[in-house]
Amino acid sequence: MLRILRSVARRIRRRVDWYIVALFTVIGVATLAPVEGDAADGVSLAVRVAVGLLFFLYGARLSPQAAYDGLRHWRLHVPILALTFLAFPLAGLAAGLLPRSVLGPELAIGVLFLTVLPSTVQSSIAFTSMARGNVAAAICSASFSTVLGVVLTPLLVVALIGQTGGGGMPIRASQLGDIALQLLVPFLAGQVARRWVTEWLGRHRALITVCDRGSILLVVYSAFSRGMTTGIWQRVSPGRLLLLAALCALLLALALQLAYSTARLIGLPYADRLTAVFCGSNKSLASGLPMATVLFPAERVGIVVLPLMLYHTLQLVTCAWLARRWPSRRSAAPSTGEDRGKDIPIRTGSSDSCG
């Protein structure tokens, strides 16, 4: 009996993403014990410092040489970046055409914000590796997306959201100075300091992981604490939350299918198609939450990032399932040529999209 319990515990540890559990635990804590008054001001200051440190570390860990080497594989990177910063925002604008009764203006802005975010780095690379795709290309592509996202995401927010001022959240071009100070300057400082800190960062990977994830958890706690004090759960009904989850699942399914179909259409090898699927469909929670704290009023951040939280959870579950499934499908395919495995389709039905 004890052996069975240990086996079950090992399977749970392998299958459960404890970081996602921690994220939703923090939301629960913020719901039950939101920070207010002077304590809230202290947490807000800590968030600003944590966000600056986070983007400093992004800059310090990104190798300019790796980015330069990746430029040679432009046939893969261009479609991925086009999906991330062109097709996704167009889908976000289309979602904004839904009747106001479906999502409401604030969640509609949250969906549009989700669509202009860069790809995630860690998840894209991990899923590509699990599926036996082109890991080196995934590293380059995710890095390009992160770098461009520091600049493009705020500009797209100003262009697509700021002009409408929807939901009482106007974004002004003058805010780009604050964005540059909090995001771009630390990132560039990390690039400059890279030559001196790279070795130290390599020796303290566990500490860096704690800093990365701890910063995000702090941002989540601050955002949802502010949301609680402004009645976030009174503004989002269970029915609307289910509609939002369905919309996020649809966005993910469309992104997966478009990424694969585009890569196949232009004749990329099978391994590169897998890279395109995971790098093109993923959106970065690590970049999105800090950016939201800079771009939107503090009392609105909680509701704006709800679509991102849901999408991120769906992408982890769905992409983990696909990454585990594809190697076995590929090995089962007839080995009469490099492209016999290329006809393995993505299935984007509702069950697949929900993991």
Side-chain angles (χ1 to χ4, degrees):
M1 184 64 178
L2 184 60
R3 183 178 300 175
I4 294 175
L5 291 175
R6 287 176 177 172
S7 176
V8 171
R10 282 196 297 270
R11 290 188 179 185
I12 292 175
R13 284 197 297 269
R14 285 198 300 267
R15 292 184 176 274
V16 173
D17 190 322
W18 292 107
Y19 184 48
I20 295 297
V21 173
L23 282 171
F24 283 97
T25 300
V26 167
I27 293 175
V29 172
T31 301
L32 298 174
V35 64
E36 301 181 69
D38 292 339
D41 294 335
V43 170
S44 295
L45 178 61
V47 166
R48 292 173 69 90
V49 173
V51 168
L53 177 60
L54 198 62
F55 277 80
F56 174 83
L57 292 174
Y58 285 163
R61 287 180 294 176
L62 177 62
S63 168
Q65 184 60 46
Y68 175 78
D69 290 342
L71 287 173
R72 292 176 297 181
H73 205 3
W74 62 269
R75 289 183 66 247
L76 171 63
H77 302 314
V78 169
I80 292 175
L81 294 175
L83 175 59
T84 301
F85 294 113
L86 181 60
F88 253 115
L90 289 175
L93 288 173
L97 299 177
L98 292 171
R100 293 172 66 91
S101 59
V102 176
L103 294 177
E106 293 173 318
L107 285 179
I109 285 177
V111 171
L112 185 53
F113 175 67
L114 155 69
T115 62
V116 301
L117 288 172
S119 178
T120 183
V121 177
Q122 293 91 339
S123 297
S124 299
I125 296 169
F127 292 141
T128 301
S129 177
M130 287 173 61
R132 301 177 188 173
N134 188 337
V135 176
I139 294 172
C140 293
S141 183
S143 299
F144 291 157
S145 186
T146 299
V147 173
L148 289 176
V150 175
V151 177
L152 285 183
T153 294
L155 291 175
L156 287 170
V157 168
V158 171
L160 302 181
I161 300 177
Q163 299 303 318
T164 65
M169 288 185 287
I171 307 296
R172 299 178 301 275
S174 60
Q175 289 179 259
L176 291 178
D178 293 336
I179 295 166
L181 182 63
Q182 293 188 53
L183 305 182
L184 188 57
V185 170
F187 181 86
L188 294 176
Q191 283 280 283
V192 172
R194 176 179 166 77
R195 59 187 299 182
W196 296 289
V197 302
T198 299
E199 185 177 342
W200 187 89
L201 292 176
R203 293 198 306 267
H204 298 85
R205 293 183 182 275
L207 181 62
I208 302 308
T209 300
V210 170
C211 181
D212 276 358
R213 300 194 168 191
S215 298
I216 299 305
L217 293 176
L218 180 62
V219 170
V220 170
Y221 179 72
S222 176
F224 279 87
S225 289
R226 293 275 189 175
M228 280 303 299
T229 59
T230 57
I232 181 175
W233 298 121
Q234 285 72 38
R235 303 202 303 271
V236 183
S237 66
R240 184 165 283 179
L241 199 59
L242 288 175
L243 286 173
L244 177 63
L247 179 59
C248 288
L250 177 61
L251 280 173
L252 179 60
L254 290 174
L256 289 168
Q257 185 64 66
L258 183 59
Y260 186 88
S261 299
T262 302
R264 181 179 181 181
L265 182 64
I266 63 177
L268 291 178
Y270 181 72
D272 286 350
R273 296 178 196 178
L274 299 184
T275 302
V277 165
F278 295 119
C279 291
S281 65
N282 280 214
K283 288 293 184 178
S284 177
L285 185 74
S287 296
L289 289 179
M291 286 184 181
T293 65
V294 178
L295 291 166
F296 300 103
E299 65 275 9
R300 304 292 184 89
V301 170
I303 195 168
V304 169
V305 300
L306 264 180
L308 173 59
M309 297 280 289
L310 287 172
Y311 186 91
H312 184 79
T313 304
L314 286 171
Q315 82 182 16
L316 286 179
V317 173
T318 304
C319 291
W321 181 80
L322 287 172
R324 287 194 297 266
R325 175 174 176 262
W326 268 331
S328 59
R329 287 291 300 273
R330 190 181 185 186
S331 61
S335 55
T336 58
E338 182 269 328
D339 280 335
R340 291 303 292 269
K342 72 183 181 180
D343 294 325
I344 299 172
I346 285 181
R347 295 182 181 177
T348 55
S350 58
S351 61
D352 288 0
S353 298
C354 296

